[in-house]
Amino acid sequence: MEVEVMTTTNRLPKILQRLTEIGIAITAVVAVVLLFAVFFTDFALETPMEFTPDEDTYSLSSEAWGTGTIHDAVGVVTFTDKSATIVALSAAKVLAYAAASLALLVLLRRILQTLSAGTPFVEANAHRIRAIGILIPAFGFLIQGLHWATSLIVMDTVAAEGLHIEARLTFNLTYLFIGLVIIALAEAFRHGTHLQTDADLTI
């Protein structure tokens, strides 16, 4: 039973490594398909926005609370007619998603390779884990910045009767939190690597 458990444990990193390789291939194919859709089809562009309805276009009332107004509402606008600028921004979003996904998968694959070889406690893995921790929030803020840039360009030319529309800038701090946790784990891993090196030299 013990031998069987150890064999399964040794196989797991190789299985995960194969899965990351499959993920790399799928990501590349999806990126190519999405880029084709952006340039050659009626690929719909979704743009986050923030809007406030004019008070004379609606009525909001409650028997318990009286009348009210709507403000700081958020939504998504979908456009199918595309300018060269919008196509470029859409392509930039696709490329950003693809580049970040491929970078994460490649780093993970290299970590799993060392795990399969039985030598995970190396300095390079600490650097790779730290790179993942930096890449995740950087990617998240880049995508949010591209969304905002698209909103600024689109909303500058949009007119909606009865609505005051503004570009919506959102900050999702979850990316930053995940990145900080991973960076902390990278430091712990680096310290463990040094302890492992010292132990090997002592032996």
Side-chain angles (χ1 to χ4, degrees):
M1 180 66 70
E2 184 177 349
V3 174
E4 183 180 347
V5 171
M6 290 184 64
T7 303
T8 304
T9 304
N10 291 336
R11 286 180 181 173
L12 184 59
K14 292 182 179 180
I15 293 172
L16 293 174
Q17 184 180 331
R18 295 293 175 264
L19 289 176
T20 57
E21 292 169 357
I22 294 171
I24 290 170
I26 291 174
T27 300
V29 171
V30 169
V32 171
V33 170
L34 288 178
L35 284 174
F36 180 85
V38 167
F39 284 103
F40 301 108
T41 69
D42 292 332
F43 183 80
L45 174 70
E46 292 187 349
T47 303
M49 65 147 184
E50 192 169 282
F51 64 92
T52 303
D54 293 336
E55 292 183 24
D56 57 356
T57 63
Y58 74 98
S59 61
L60 183 66
S61 61
S62 166
E63 291 184 2
W65 304 103
T67 60
T69 59
I70 298 174
H71 55 87
D72 295 334
V74 297
V76 176
V77 181
T78 302
F79 293 99
T80 54
D81 295 335
K82 301 176 293 187
S83 66
T85 303
I86 296 304
V87 169
L89 282 170
S90 299
K93 290 180 185 179
V94 173
L95 290 174
Y97 275 111
S101 299
L102 288 172
L104 288 171
L105 287 169
V106 168
L107 288 168
L108 183 59
R109 178 176 176 272
R110 290 177 178 171
I111 292 171
L112 290 171
Q113 282 178 331
T114 62
L115 194 58
S116 298
T119 57
F121 293 102
V122 292
E123 189 75 22
N125 276 349
H127 294 308
R128 289 165 185 154
I129 296 171
R130 186 183 301 111
I132 291 173
I134 294 171
L135 184 61
I136 289 176
F139 164 67
F141 292 136
L142 172 62
I143 291 299
Q144 290 169 10
L146 287 173
H147 281 316
W148 186 53
T150 306
S151 296
L152 285 175
I153 293 171
V154 171
M155 297 309 159
D156 189 49
T157 61
V158 167
E161 186 176 350
L163 292 177
H164 174 67
I165 300 179
E166 296 180 351
R168 183 186 176 195
L169 176 61
T170 59
F171 287 103
N172 188 345
L173 297 180
T174 303
Y175 295 110
L176 181 60
F177 176 74
I178 293 173
L180 290 174
V181 170
I182 294 175
I183 290 173
L185 290 175
E187 287 302 308
F189 192 92
R190 185 180 64 83
H191 182 66
T193 300
H194 289 164
L195 292 177
Q196 180 69 46
T197 302
D198 292 342
D200 292 341
L201 292 174
T202 302
I203 294 173

